[in-house]
Amino acid sequence: MKRRILFSLLFTVLSVSVTTATRQEKYIKHTVAKGDTVNIIAQKYNVTPYDIFKLNPDSQNGIEQDTVLLIPPSSIGTTTTVQKQAVISSKKTTHLVQPKETLFSLSRQYNVSVDAIKNANAELLKDGLKIGQNVVIPAEDVLTQDTYQKPPVEKPVVKPAEVVKTVAKEDVKALDAKPVSTSKTIYHIVEAKETKFGISKKYGISIENLEKLNPQIVSGLQVGTKLLISGERTVSEEISSVSKSKSEPAKETVSSKKYLQEYVVRPQETLYSISKDFGISEEELISLNPELKKGLKLGMILRVPMKEKIEVKPVINKTQSNLSNSIKSNEKKQLVMLLPFNISKIESDTVNSPQARLKKDKFLNMTLDFYSGALMAIDSAKAIGLNVDVSIFDSQETKNSSTAASVIQQNNLTKADAIIGPFYQTNVEKVAEMLEGFNTPVISPLSKDSGKGYKNLYQSMPTAEQMKSSIFNFMRSKNGNIVAIVDAKKGSVVNYLKDQQKDVKIVGLSEKGTLISDSLLVKLDKNKMNYVIVASERTGMILSSTTSMVNAQRNYQVQMVVLEQNETLDFEEIPLAKLTKLNMLYPSISKSNETPEAIYFENNYKKINKIVPNQYAVRGFDLTFDTLLRLSQDKSFEETVKGSATEQIESKFDYSLNQNGGYSNKGVYILQYEADLSITEAK
């Protein structure tokens, strides 16, 4: 107890120190005026565009009039110094280095020698001229017509603006311009799974310098991006891009399409099958995933184009239904359950007894819990008079194998009205493929993976993508202002927001990757509820974010949001009082239920099994009972799915047609913390 109190005291002291240091920093808030660009603003405050992008990630997509940008604190001292120098002496000025500029082009622009510029910036230019540097231009060494040496005729220097004009005048003829650079130019094409750290380590530069040379990667890397490592971008590159845009219409390539975040290679898949499944050639697949040159491996994560959308008919009048009120028991239905008991392995285990195996086999325990809930659902179905036969078989499965297919063939189960299982996604997909011609509903009970496009496959567990989409749909339905604080290590979240949730405002971080309160405040809207997403697993980042949000509640409506389960929030260092004050909002596939039916289920389960039902037991009951009810209607299983959304003990079942075929469950709860420490469904 004493150690805990001491730790809390130390932590409080550290928190106060950090807060004090943050308050001492000052940032300029710039309101974008008509005609402003990031370059213009950067020059005004004597900072680089990179500095602005770092604190204002949204500005990479363009800036709008009246938008408030945060300018880094270093600009205050720098600007003041420059202004003082201008007053003291008019003999020198400073120049913010732009892309494609060289020492030679600067010497021509300001009529000074290259050596004079080098001497005036000896320390700054020891590694060569870099984009974003503030170079001092001396006036003492002004070149006269007598001393000025003209550049060699055979190597003309052409400014970017002149290049564009020349190309236009020459009707976009092919030009063979050579690079204008004072040092060797090195590029790097980003490949799949590469990180900024890995690239910077490979070339011996810092991540900061890499981002300064390539401001477009501040918020994350994209496969195929051409990065400047050293030197300068060539004039010929600009000519080439201008020529291409003028001479021929832009063609959509595979790399210009939108992509799924990832596709995991599954057993028995080949380059041919994957490329065919996504409508591209094997060559295009390899170009998107260069690592495939070394061969396709199970579990590889690939970038693939989104499949073409198929017409999905909207569900009409789909309401929350209690199917118990519309039971039709005239015709007996058959439900088959394929559950992975793996009995043969237990029987052949000469080392461990069944009791010992139960203690350490988590997968077997999960199966038995699900089974125990399913048995209670079958008993409940009999009690209300459902005319259904249930057959349960051992699917004997692992991630890559199952006896489900032989079980179906040997027991003539192709005539079943529905099948629940197997558990693993690859195995349930094989069963769906096998029974697709019979249009037998095959229900995936626990997998959260996105299923293949089999018309008879029903994913009963909402995917992670659907969980996130649900909470964004909720926030938009409330006309909220959506803001995101994303840890620098969460590049995948930034990419997801940019690709799928483009209206979200991303808060800029400091050079050290910490939150600046002003960066959050400039994103908030006084006239709306501000939903602030926190995507971080670092205790310090979560603490600073929650503190800033609580402080902002004095003038704004602010609610905290998390997109997925985050164990860091359970740490004692994160005060629960802050999470409740911010009414933390999150998506969930289940919720606690205190209705008479739920209480009866729990008491009855404890009476039979001598234990409180866990999540798998409740899931086994919910899915089995829901399926039995759907089979007992005066409609086909598919028709009940199209027409009715249902809710059982802790789960929703709101199936919808996927774009690539089959159905997935969008039954997600949006829950929030309340001041009394309870968790309720957000309305």
Side-chain angles (χ1 to χ4, degrees):
M1 184 67 183
K2 290 181 180 179
R3 289 180 63 189
R4 183 175 175 183
I5 293 173
L6 179 61
F7 178 78
S8 300
L9 183 60
L10 286 171
F11 187 78
T12 304
V13 171
L14 288 172
S15 299
V16 171
S17 300
V18 171
T19 305
T20 304
T22 303
R23 286 174 182 169
Q24 290 174 349
E25 295 179 342
K26 294 181 180 179
Y27 295 85
I28 297 174
K29 294 179 182 178
H30 175 87
T31 302
V32 178
K34 186 176 181 180
D36 270 354
T37 65
V38 171
N39 280 338
I40 290 173
I41 297 169
Q43 290 184 24
K44 177 178 180 181
Y45 294 103
N46 210 21
V47 297
T48 68
Y50 161 81
D51 295 324
I52 295 177
F53 291 150
K54 192 75 174 176
L55 285 176
N56 308 271
D58 296 338
S59 63
Q60 293 180 78
N61 301 322
I63 54 176
E64 297 180 1
Q65 189 173 343
D66 298 327
T67 301
V68 178
L69 299 179
L70 213 59
I71 309 300
S74 59
S75 65
I76 300 171
T78 306
T79 304
T80 305
T81 304
V82 172
Q83 289 172 344
K84 287 180 179 178
Q85 288 176 346
V87 173
I88 295 171
S89 174
S90 60
K91 292 185 177 181
K92 63 181 178 181
T93 184
T94 58
H95 176 89
L96 183 67
V97 179
Q98 302 296 317
K100 304 182 186 69
E101 288 186 324
T102 66
L103 288 174
F104 185 75
S105 66
L106 293 182
S107 73
R108 291 196 65 195
Q109 182 177 344
Y110 290 98
N111 241 21
V112 295
S113 68
V114 171
D115 288 338
I117 298 176
K118 285 182 177 179
N119 293 335
N121 302 273
E123 185 66 24
L124 183 66
L125 298 179
K126 62 182 181 180
D127 295 321
L129 190 68
K130 305 292 183 183
I131 298 170
Q133 289 176 329
N134 281 303
V135 178
V136 174
I137 307 295
E140 294 85 353
D141 191 74
V142 176
L143 295 173
T144 64
Q145 291 182 350
D146 294 330
T147 60
Y148 177 66
Q149 298 293 320
K150 293 183 180 181
V153 177
E154 65 274 15
K155 293 184 179 180
V157 177
V158 187
K159 293 182 180 180
E162 294 173 341
V163 170
V164 177
K165 291 177 183 177
T166 304
V167 172
K169 287 181 180 179
E170 294 296 323
D171 198 21
V172 201
K173 293 180 180 178
L175 300 177
D176 184 22
K178 295 184 178 181
V180 179
S181 176
T182 58
S183 61
K184 184 180 179 182
T185 300
I186 300 174
Y187 292 103
H188 177 86
I189 306 298
V190 179
E191 296 186 357
K193 298 183 181 179
E194 284 195 312
T195 63
K196 295 179 193 176
F197 175 77
I199 295 171
S200 63
K201 187 176 180 181
K202 179 178 180 180
Y203 293 100
I205 62 174
S206 67
I207 294 177
E208 181 181 356
N209 285 338
L210 183 66
E211 290 179 331
K212 284 183 177 180
L213 288 170
N214 305 275
Q216 73 274 21
I217 69 167
V218 168
S219 58
L221 287 177
Q222 294 285 350
V223 173
T225 302
K226 188 175 184 180
L227 303 182
L228 178 64
I229 303 300
S230 66
E232 302 171 15
R233 301 189 190 279
T234 65
V235 173
S236 58
E237 281 187 298
E238 183 170 346
I239 295 172
S240 175
S241 62
V242 173
S243 300
K244 189 171 183 180
S245 63
K246 294 276 186 181
S247 61
E248 60 180 57
K251 295 180 180 179
E252 184 184 30
T253 61
V254 175
S255 61
S256 67
K257 297 178 182 178
K258 290 185 178 179
Y259 295 90
L260 297 174
Q261 284 190 310
E262 61 182 29
Y263 178 79
V264 181
V265 177
R266 299 172 181 176
Q268 300 180 356
E269 286 190 314
T270 63
L271 282 178
Y272 174 76
S273 66
I274 295 173
S275 60
K276 184 177 179 182
D277 196 27
F278 289 95
I280 59 176
S281 67
E282 292 182 48
E283 291 74 18
E284 288 174 318
L285 185 62
I286 293 173
S287 70
L288 292 174
N289 305 275
E291 67 272 23
L292 287 175
K293 294 176 182 178
K294 298 179 181 179
L296 185 69
K297 297 179 182 179
L298 179 66
M300 287 179 71
I301 300 175
L302 306 180
R303 279 177 67 86
V304 293
M306 292 185 70
K307 293 183 179 180
E308 292 295 324
K309 292 184 179 180
I310 64 172
E311 184 179 357
V312 180
K313 295 181 180 179
V315 177
I316 302 174
N317 297 326
K318 190 172 183 180
T319 57
Q320 194 81 13
S321 304
N322 184 354
L323 298 179
S324 300
N325 298 329
S326 54
I327 295 172
K328 302 293 181 182
S329 56
N330 300 332
E331 183 183 354
K332 179 171 286 190
K333 299 295 179 69
Q334 182 185 19
L335 172 65
V336 173
M337 302 188 75
L338 299 172
L339 306 182
F341 298 110
N342 293 325
I343 294 174
S344 61
K345 289 184 179 180
I346 298 174
E347 291 176 342
S348 62
D349 190 345
T350 58
V351 177
N352 300 298
S353 66
Q355 292 79 8
R357 193 177 182 92
L358 273 174
K359 287 183 179 179
K360 63 180 182 179
D361 193 334
K362 293 181 180 179
F363 187 72
L364 177 58
N365 276 278
M366 178 183 69
T367 301
L368 294 175
D369 288 333
F370 185 92
Y371 175 60
S372 66
L375 289 179
M376 288 199 64
I378 295 168
D379 289 341
S380 298
K382 291 178 180 178
I384 62 175
L386 300 188
N387 191 7
V388 181
D389 276 342
V390 181
S391 302
I392 301 174
F393 296 91
D394 184 1
S395 57
Q396 298 189 51
E397 60 180 298
T398 64
K399 286 184 179 180
N400 303 317
S401 65
S402 170
T403 61
S406 60
V407 168
I408 291 171
Q409 290 175 339
Q410 292 170 8
N411 295 277
N412 193 25
L413 301 180
T414 56
K415 296 180 180 179
D417 294 290
I419 293 179
I420 294 178
F423 276 13
Y424 283 113
Q425 185 66 25
T426 52
N427 298 330
V428 80
E429 285 178 357
K430 288 178 182 177
V431 172
E433 182 180 20
M434 181 179 181
L435 299 175
E436 189 174 26
F438 299 93
N439 202 27
T440 304
V442 177
I443 305 161
S444 177
L446 294 176
S447 174
K448 295 181 181 179
D449 294 337
S450 298
K452 285 188 177 180
Y454 301 111
K455 65 180 182 181
N456 61 326
L457 181 58
Y458 297 79
Q459 299 288 144
S460 72
M461 290 286 282
T463 64
E465 189 76 16
Q466 287 167 334
M467 300 272 282
K468 288 186 285 191
S469 295
S470 295
I471 199 162
F472 278 104
N473 291 339
F474 174 84
M475 291 186 287
R476 292 194 182 97
S477 71
K478 302 298 181 182
N479 192 31
N481 177 44
I482 309 175
V483 178
I485 302 171
V486 185
D487 197 297
K489 296 182 179 180
K490 293 282 187 178
S492 60
V493 176
V494 173
N495 292 337
Y496 167 76
L497 295 176
K498 287 187 173 182
D499 292 341
Q500 307 294 331
Q501 313 293 344
K502 296 183 179 180
D503 60 331
V504 176
K505 302 173 182 176
I506 301 176
V507 175
L509 304 177
S510 71
E511 289 290 333
K512 296 181 180 179
T514 58
L515 175 68
I516 303 165
S517 293
D518 282 347
S519 292
L520 172 62
L521 293 178
V522 297
K523 303 290 185 183
L524 302 182
D525 189 329
K526 287 191 175 182
N527 300 315
K528 295 182 178 181
M529 170 60 77
N530 295 279
Y531 294 105
V532 182
I533 300 166
V534 178
S536 176
E537 294 174 359
R538 290 192 296 150
T539 304
M541 174 66 87
I542 295 174
L543 280 171
S544 61
S545 299
T546 52
T547 299
S548 295
M549 283 188 277
V550 169
N551 292 337
Q553 283 184 323
R554 299 167 187 166
N555 301 307
Y556 301 89
Q557 299 179 75
V558 179
Q559 186 166 9
M560 179 180 173
V561 180
V562 292
L563 300 179
E564 56 192 359
Q565 185 177 357
N566 188 342
E567 293 182 357
T568 310
L569 295 171
D570 297 328
F571 293 175
E572 291 183 1
E573 292 92 331
I574 309 295
L576 183 59
K578 283 188 178 180
L579 304 183
T580 57
K581 186 173 179 60
L582 292 167
N583 294 119
M584 190 179 78
L585 198 70
Y586 65 98
S588 174
I589 61 172
S590 63
K591 71 167 185 176
S592 59
N593 190 345
E594 297 182 1
T595 62
E597 294 82 4
I599 294 172
Y600 174 80
F601 165 77
E602 182 174 330
N603 292 336
N604 202 25
Y605 186 93
K606 285 192 291 185
K607 183 179 179 180
I608 296 172
N609 298 285
K610 313 303 181 186
I611 193 173
V612 175
N614 64 13
Q615 59 177 325
Y616 298 111
V618 178
R619 186 72 186 177
F621 176 89
D622 283 353
L623 178 59
T624 306
F625 192 65
D626 186 76
T627 303
L628 290 170
L629 284 174
R630 291 184 184 276
L631 290 176
S632 301
Q633 305 300 306
D634 192 19
K635 299 176 181 177
S636 68
F637 184 88
E638 186 176 16
E639 286 174 329
T640 67
V641 161
K642 290 180 178 179
S644 301
T646 58
E647 186 172 8
Q648 304 305 333
I649 301 299
E650 290 186 0
S651 310
K652 280 183 183 179
F653 297 94
D654 184 8
Y655 293 100
S656 63
L657 183 62
N658 295 326
Q659 293 177 349
N660 62 343
Y663 293 84
S664 59
N665 180 18
K666 296 197 299 184
V668 178
Y669 294 102
I670 306 301
L671 305 180
Q672 67 180 22
Y673 283 28
E674 300 291 354
D676 61 359
L677 305 185
S678 64
I679 296 176
T680 62
E681 187 173 2
K683 303 296 184 181

